[in-house]
């Protein structure tokens, strides 16, 4: 090898502690079963964790876990301007909230695993070793162009209607003799390391995408930056080196990386490495009126994962919904297997959609209703309490000391083949059930227009006389019917309709008064079940106080 190139590589990439071949030994191929997938989530620690991250993470996690592989968290912190303190912890917490757990990587406040460190800024030695290899083999070179030089080039390219970029005749330092480059570095001139692209813009290459199938794209011709002037790699370079040395088998990432895929493929080739299977996932879209558009940080609060935590969605509901976006067969599977955990679904990367995943909050809410209806009552109590800690601290004391009561409340209508589907997310659940608590109880509705006060009074006084907490549902209802009949309310609404002048009303009017006194509302779940949850004292107390306040 040209000894000048070796010298140049050493000078240009001073941080390499080992040779690239040593790293092959330091990071040996993984001992995972044949066909197992090693996947990674590679977020930049910008502090904004969004639905797209969770969507991707869930796909990574499913693909890894289902094949007995590994799921890794790598922090891509090469852009320190965008870094937010505590972002990694926030990300881990957020994903943990949704039950997405990493096997390896930058977790639990440090790197766990044999392929670390897992923060890119701590892997600079490796990137420099890798860049040295490319320089030595003629696939990379130092470029001394200043930002002003580059701006000038851009302006000229614009004027001549040429493609922008650093390539071909525009690549000023591409063919600079090594000895001159060495002198410039020694003299302290700032420089970046660029790829010396060997692509031909008139030629195409093909690659099999794990989601999109065969892609045919023009070769890359751009001498993109590999190491910035501060010696830190760009995403393009770092991810290639890391995905190789972390022995990643499948790169799941957003479709925004498709356009630079030719660069990445060329880099793998330059190193003579096999590349992992690239899998470009679809962007999250939503309907905005009649048009479909990308979910936007500025316009759509539902893009942020905090949105779901603040409203108190059950993590399982969000996951269930995302599974249906990830694989179109999921919904059908769920209907056929209502009792199975989602982990048993045979998730398949190749079944992921390649056109925008259409996110729809109404659909999520439907899925959530169904999911919550299948959970044990105690899980809803826990959901509510943990949401309150985060979003409704005033209620926390009451809720936390009422776990048994909450369990009874959530048990209402939960038995049987068709459980009630009242609950969507904790904020809504809290509104739905708050009448159970004296601290929050208020009259939200009033007596119906066809219920004179004196009739209501007579009915409620009569109700109190015969009310027995130990009555079963049928016995209770029988008494309500009798109470109605004694006060001119016929048992069958049909009878009343046929002959309205003969009665004050029907049994539905009677139960409406009881419901109003107990719940302050026109609508509620079954009164007998509500009363059983409330307990005798609260039932009697509510009715007495309704009489005192509104009927006396
Ligand atoms: N750091 C990149 C991002 O946050 C990761 C892309 C990838 O998964 O390779 O977009």
């Amino acid at each position: 090898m040209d000894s000048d190139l070796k010298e140049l590589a050493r000078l240009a990439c001073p941080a390499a502690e080992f040779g690239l071949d040593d790293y092959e030994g330091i990071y040996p191929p993984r001992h995972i079963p044949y066909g197992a997938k090693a996947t990674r989530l590679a977020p930049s620690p910008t502090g904004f964790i969004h639905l797209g991250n969770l969507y991707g993470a869930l796909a990574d996690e499913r693909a890894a876990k289902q094949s007995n592989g590994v799921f890794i968290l790598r922090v891509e912190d090469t852009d320190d301007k965008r870094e937010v303190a505590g972002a990694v912890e926030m990300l881990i917490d957020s994903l943990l909230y949704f039950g997405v757990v990493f096997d390896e990587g930058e977790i639990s406040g440090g790197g766990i695993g044999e392929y670390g460190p897992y923060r890119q800024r701590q892997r600079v030695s490796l990137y420099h070793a890798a860049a040295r290899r490319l320089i030595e083999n003629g696939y990379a070179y130092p470029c001394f162009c200043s930002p002003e030089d580059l701006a000038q080039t851009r302006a000229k390219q614009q004027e001549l209607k040429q493609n922008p970029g650093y390539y071909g005749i525009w690549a000023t330092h591409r063919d600079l003799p090594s000895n001159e480059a060495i002198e410039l570095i020694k003299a302290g001139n700032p420089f970046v390391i660029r790829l010396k692209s060997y692509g031909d813009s008139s030629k195409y290459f093909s690659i099999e995408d794990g989601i999109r199938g065969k892609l045919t794209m023009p070769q890359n011709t751009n001498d993109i930056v590999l190491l910035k002037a501060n010696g830190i790699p760009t995403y393009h370079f770092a991810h290639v080196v890391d995905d190789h040395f972390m022995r990643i088998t499948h790169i799941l990432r957003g479709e925004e990386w498709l356009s630079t895929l030719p660069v990445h493929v060329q880099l793998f080739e330059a190193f003579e490495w096999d590349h992992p299977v690239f899998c470009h996932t679809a962007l999250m879209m939503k309907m905005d009126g009649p048009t479909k558009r990308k979910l936007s940080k500025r316009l759509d609060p539902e893009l942020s994962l905090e949105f779901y935590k603040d409203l108190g969605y059950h993590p399982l509901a969000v996951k269930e919904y995302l599974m249906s976006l990830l694989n179109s067969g999921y919904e059908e599977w769920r209907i056929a297997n209502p009792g199975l955990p989602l982990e048993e679904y045979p998730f398949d990367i190749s079944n992921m959609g390649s056109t925008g995943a259409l996110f729809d909050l109404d659909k999520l809410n439907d899925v959530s209703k169904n999911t919550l209806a299948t959970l044990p009552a105690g899980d809803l109590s826990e959901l509510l309490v943990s949401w309150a800690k985060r979003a409704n601290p005033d209620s926390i004391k009451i809720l936390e000391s009422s776990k048994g009561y909450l369990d009874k409340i959530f048990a209402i209508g939960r038995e049987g083949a068709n459980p009630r589907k009242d609950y969507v997310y904790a904020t809504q659940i809290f509104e739905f059930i708050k009448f159970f608590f004296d601290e929050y109880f208020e009259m939200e509705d009033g007596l119906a227009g066809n219920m004179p006060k004196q009739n209501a009074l007579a009915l409620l006084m009569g109700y109190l006389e015969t009310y027995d907490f130990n009555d079963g549902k049928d016995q209770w209802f029988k008494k309500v019917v009798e109470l109605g009949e004694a006060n001119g309310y016929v048992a069958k609404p049909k009878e009343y309709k046929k002959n309205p002048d003969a009665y004050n009303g029907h049994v539905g009017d009677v139960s409406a008064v009881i419901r109003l006194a107990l719940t302050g509302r026109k609508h509620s779940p079954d009164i007998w079940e509500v009363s059983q949850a409330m307990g005798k004292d609260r039932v009697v107390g509510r009715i007495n106080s309704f009489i005192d306040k509104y009927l006396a």
Side-chain angles (χ1 to χ4, degrees), residues 204-414:
Y204 286 75
F205 72 99
S206 290
I207 184 169
E208 198 66 31
D209 185 283
I211 296 173
R212 289 155 198 266
K214 186 173 169 185
L215 301 174
T216 301
M217 311 177 87
Q219 293 182 355
N220 167 59
T221 54
N222 245 309
D223 289 358
I224 58 121
V225 174
L226 305 177
L227 293 180
K228 296 181 269 188
N230 58 3
I232 300 291
T234 55
Y235 164 75
H236 308 296
F237 189 52
H239 101 269
V240 166
V241 173
D242 285 342
D243 286 332
H244 173 71
F245 282 106
M246 290 184 178
R247 311 297 175 180
I248 299 300
T249 64
H250 290 71
I251 297 178
L252 272 120
R253 62 180 182 186
E255 69 180 59
E256 66 274 22
W257 297 110
L258 264 177
S259 61
T260 42
L261 180 59
V263 173
H264 309 144
V265 171
Q266 198 174 76
L267 276 166
F268 274 103
E269 273 175 14
F271 281 115
E272 296 181 15
W273 293 335
D274 290 336
H275 60 75
V277 181
F278 286 99
C279 309
H280 290 93
T281 61
L283 289 178
M284 287 267 170
M285 311 286 280
K286 77 180 266 186
M287 291 310 290
D288 192 351
T291 49
K292 211 171 162 184
R293 66 162 169 78
K294 217 175 113 180
L295 273 179
S296 122
K297 186 172 170 181
R298 193 172 53 83
L299 299 174
D300 308 309
E302 70 267 34
L303 183 60
S304 161
L305 291 188
E306 298 302 295
F307 173 85
Y308 304 92
K309 293 205 235 162
D310 288 344
L311 283 178
Y313 276 91
H314 195 288
L316 191 58
V318 178
K319 260 170 97 167
E320 281 284 335
Y321 177 57
L322 287 181
M323 286 302 290
S324 71
L325 287 184
L326 283 172
N327 264 190
S328 57
Y330 185 76
E331 261 179 287
E332 218 172 286
W333 177 87
R334 174 46 82 215
I335 292 167
N337 302 283
L340 290 187
L342 67 81
E343 286 73 21
E344 297 207 12
Y345 173 73
F347 171 72
D348 185 349
I349 294 178
S350 66
N351 284 342
M352 288 176 73
S354 57
T355 51
L358 198 57
F359 184 79
D360 178 351
L361 260 183
D362 292 336
K363 187 82 203 294
L364 165 65
N365 289 344
D366 277 348
V367 170
S368 190
K369 278 183 193 168
N370 287 325
T371 307
L372 297 191
T374 64
L375 295 180
D379 285 15
L380 293 196
S381 309
E382 273 168 33
L383 173 72
L384 196 67
V385 170
S386 64
W387 161 80
K389 282 187 188 147
R390 176 187 175 88
N392 195 343
D394 291 348
S395 67
I396 187 69
K397 238 168 99 188
I398 299 164
L399 296 179
E400 227 167 10
S401 59
S402 314
K403 280 281 281 159
Y405 189 27
L406 281 173
D407 289 353
K408 281 187 195 158
I409 293 169
F410 290 125
I412 294 173
R414 196 154 280 270

Side-chain angles (χ1 to χ4, degrees), residues 447 451-463 483 487 489 509-510 513-514 516 543 546-547 550-551:
L447 276 178
M451 177 60 69
K453 271 190 186 182
Q454 69 273 23
N455 292 19
L457 181 63
L459 287 169
L460 289 179
M461 299 288 278
Y463 185 68
L483 172 70
N487 287 275
Y489 289 82
D509 301 314
V510 181
V513 175
I514 304 168
L516 183 70
I543 292 182
F546 184 80
I547 292 173
Y550 302 100
L551 305 178

